[in-house]
Amino acid sequence: MSKFVNCVVCEGKVKVSDELMEGEIITCPDCGSELEVISLDPLTVAEAPEVQEDWGE
């Protein structure tokens, strides 16, 4: 059974796996935004934070 969640950026439908885990990053096929799974019950996603380079600091 497929599950879907709405993208928080473009409101597109994103198909998610049954093996989805909290903290996992998924990509919206419509806009390409990276979404982080915040909660599994209820299934909640948020825009993933940008990873910033520390340049060895």
Side-chain angles (χ1 to χ4, degrees):
M1 183 172 103
S2 296
K3 295 183 202 173
F4 291 90
V5 65
N6 287 336
C7 174
V8 295
V9 177
C10 73
E11 296 296 319
K13 288 207 179 286
V14 182
K15 185 177 179 179
V16 295
S17 159
D18 289 334
E19 290 86 37
L20 196 66
M21 296 185 306
E22 223 170 272
E24 192 169 332
I25 303 295
I26 57 177
T27 303
C28 175
D30 292 340
C31 70
S33 293
E34 291 188 337
L35 307 171
E36 181 177 4
V37 178
I38 303 299
S39 170
L40 295 176
D41 189 20
L43 183 55
T44 308
V45 296
E47 193 170 4
E50 289 288 324
V51 176
Q52 296 186 1
E53 295 290 334
D54 65 3
W55 299 102
E57 293 174 13

